[in-house]
């Protein structure tokens, strides 16, 4: 059973903190050697079956000069949020490779090291809605008041914003595959804030255009959202190959949704609640085995239901990978 962890690089690793410094992550990702090294750290430490490039969903919008900072402990912040038509001019098209040459260089360096071990590298991009939410809110939000207001107040403008961000995600992801990424994950972390009707009307067409634009590359396309159980049927129809699920939806249900979607995903990814990685081993291992049982072994990529939490002991994640690798879900199911 393959396993990797969302946010496997980063704060929980002492070797990451040794490189991290106190500057902006948006500066650190521009140093290809450091970014490649940070990408490799969790592979060495945990023995996970995939690396994910050390970058950020805000890299393309920052690269075209929208004015983004990523603050430690808070997340992306925007000094001048997107409020009106004229702000579209601040989102010129992404010029790949030049705008994101640093990430592409980091991918090449990481892939050169990973190849001998046969470990694939996952590239990623932020889905249009999640990136838009930061641009419109000006920072992280729990209610998305401004985003939802713009969506209903001016649907054509909201649609143009998402179309621009979809093109950016597509260009960024295509360039990453060109540089050696063997799969792409599209993170729509905050889309679960929408109702199914809103998602279908305002978001799905744009997510679908990203997936359709990547289809000819022939790499697995993973789509993931948090708190999005109520949207799973719609998300399964976006053209992805793998459906990322958080812990709120049992993997068996996600598999059923995938199977009942014509041309839908062949696999599910997830979905251990990352909170259990901080719990005692007995609790963690019991929950992990339950996830493996639910996943059923075939068409399941083991992962967490969201990113590794900052307080996680790296030793627990190593043990978790060992457990996943040494467990045969078929035996679990009958045992
Ligand atoms: O394994 C990895 O960490 C891969 C690289 C990666 C980062 N960000 C680096 C990063 C990935 C896949 C992301 C995706 C990302 N970035 C998402 C989608 C995934 C998710 O968790 O839902 C989102 C919403 C962002 C925006 C963002 N960037 C947030 C919310 C934060 C956290 C702010 C904080 O400190 O709590 C960031 C900063 C960030 N991006 C860190 C890392 C490793 C935090 C550590 C640091 O600042 O060094």
């Amino acid at each position: 059973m393959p396993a990797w962890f969302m946010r496997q690089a980063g704060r929980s690793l002492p070797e990451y903190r040794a490189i991290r410094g106190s500057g902006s992550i948006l500066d650190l990702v521009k140093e290809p050697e450091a970014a490649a090294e940070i990408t490799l750290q969790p592979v060495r430490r945990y023995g996970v079956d995939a690396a994910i490039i050390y970058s950020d969903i805000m890299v393309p919008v920052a690269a075209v000069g929208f004015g983004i900072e990523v603050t430690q402990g808070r997340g992306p912040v925007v000094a001048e949020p997107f409020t009106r038509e004229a702000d579209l001019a601040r989102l010129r098209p992404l010029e790949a490779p030049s705008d994101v040459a640093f990430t592409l260089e980091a991918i090449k360096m990481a892939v050169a090291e990973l190849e001998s071990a046969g470990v694939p590298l996952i590239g990623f991009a932020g889905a249009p809605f999640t990136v838009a939410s930061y641009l419109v809110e000006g920072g992280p939000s729990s209610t998305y008041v401004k985003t939802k207001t713009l969506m209903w107040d001016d649907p054509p403008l909201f649609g143009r914003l998402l179309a621009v961000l979809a093109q950016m995600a597509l260009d960024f992801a295509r360039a990453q595959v060109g540089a050696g990424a063997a799969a792409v994950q599209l993170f729509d972390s905050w889309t679960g804030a929408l109702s199914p009707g809103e998602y279908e009307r305002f978001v799905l067409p744009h997510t679908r255009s990203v997936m359709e634009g990547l289809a000819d590359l022939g790499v697995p396309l993973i789509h993931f959202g948090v708190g999005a159980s109520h949207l799973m049927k719609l998300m399964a129809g976006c053209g992805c190959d793998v459906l990322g699920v958080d812990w709120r939806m049992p993997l068996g249900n996600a598999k059923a949704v995938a199977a009942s979607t014509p041309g839908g995903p062949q696999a599910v990814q997830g979905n251990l609640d990352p909170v259990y990685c901080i719990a005692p081993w007995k609790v963690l291992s019991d929950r992990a085995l339950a996830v493996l049982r639910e996943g059923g072994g075939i068409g399941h990529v083991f992962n967490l239901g969201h990113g590794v939490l900052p307080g996680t002991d790296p030793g627990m994640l190593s043990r978790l990978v060992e457990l996943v690798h040494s467990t045969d879900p078929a035996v679990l199911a009958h045992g």
Side-chain angles (χ1 to χ4, degrees):
M1 169 78 31
W4 68 279
F5 304 126
M6 289 184 279
R7 294 285 183 95
Q8 61 190 12
R11 284 169 299 191
S12 55
L13 284 180
E15 56 268 40
Y16 171 73
R17 285 197 295 273
I19 301 182
R20 173 70 176 86
S22 55
S24 165
I25 171 188
L26 291 179
D27 290 329
L28 187 53
V29 299
K30 286 185 186 147
E31 296 175 32
E33 275 184 23
E37 168 61 20
I38 294 167
T39 302
L40 297 170
Q41 285 175 345
V43 179
R44 292 192 202 111
R45 166 80 83 139
Y46 303 133
V48 280
D49 300 290
I52 179 160
I53 186 64
Y54 182 74
S55 180
D56 197 82
I57 60 165
M58 303 309 283
V59 160
V61 274
V64 303
F66 195 82
I68 315 272
E69 248 324 310
V70 178
T71 334
Q72 277 198 61
R74 178 141 190 256
V77 287
V78 176
E80 282 182 61
F82 184 102
T83 57
R84 60 208 163 97
E85 181 87 33
D87 289 321
L88 283 172
R90 297 162 59 203
L91 290 167
R92 67 156 171 85
L94 186 75
E95 280 167 30
S98 53
D99 283 335
V100 288
F102 45 87
T103 295
L104 306 181
E105 187 57 31
I107 289 177
K108 286 179 194 155
M109 293 169 85
V111 166
E113 296 230 1
L114 290 164
E115 241 162 16
S116 55
V119 175
L121 179 135
I122 301 170
F124 72 91
F129 177 80
T130 292
V131 175
S133 78
Y134 286 114
L135 301 189
V136 176
E137 301 294 330
S141 171
S142 51
T143 54
Y144 306 95
V145 171
K146 293 176 183 158
T147 314
K148 291 182 180 183
T149 302
L150 178 67
M151 193 170 84
W152 284 110
D153 194 36
D154 194 343
L157 177 58
F158 189 76
R160 283 202 288 284
L161 171 60
L162 262 66
V164 165
L165 296 176
Q167 186 63 47
M168 237 183 245
L170 174 58
D171 293 338
F172 188 36
R174 283 193 78 91
Q176 292 178 62
V177 174
V184 170
Q185 176 152 331
L186 191 66
F187 284 95
D188 210 354
S189 304
W190 314 135
T191 199
L194 299 179
S195 70
E198 290 172 325
Y199 179 82
E200 187 168 21
R201 174 174 167 196
F202 295 109
V203 175
L204 182 59
H206 301 285
T207 305
R208 196 175 272 144
S209 82
V210 181
M211 294 297 177
E212 282 171 357
L214 294 171
D216 68 298
L217 297 176
V219 299
L221 306 175
I222 313 164
H223 191 39
F224 169 75
V226 182
S229 311
H230 59 300
L231 307 177
M232 272 306 137
K233 270 197 189 120
L234 295 165
M235 291 173 79
C238 77
C240 63
D241 303 298
V242 182
L243 196 54
V245 238
D246 80 0
W247 61 91
R248 294 172 181 88
M249 175 176 247
L251 285 179
N253 295 15
K255 289 189 115 176
V257 167
S260 67
T261 306
Q266 299 95 50
V268 296
Q269 174 178 283
N271 72 345
L272 178 71
D273 187 340
V275 156
Y276 296 125
C277 298
I278 300 176
W281 174 248
K282 173 82 181 93
V283 175
L284 168 55
S285 54
D286 277 356
R287 292 299 86 220
L289 291 174
V291 167
L292 288 170
R293 198 177 293 119
E294 274 273 347
I298 298 162
H300 176 211
V301 176
F302 187 91
N303 205 315
L304 307 180
H306 198 185
V308 173
L309 292 168
T312 306
D313 171 359
M316 288 295 117
L317 293 183
S318 302
R319 273 182 89 174
L320 178 56
V321 173
E322 272 172 41
L323 178 73
V324 173
H325 283 165
S326 62
T327 304
D328 179 350
V331 173
L332 270 184
H334 298 108

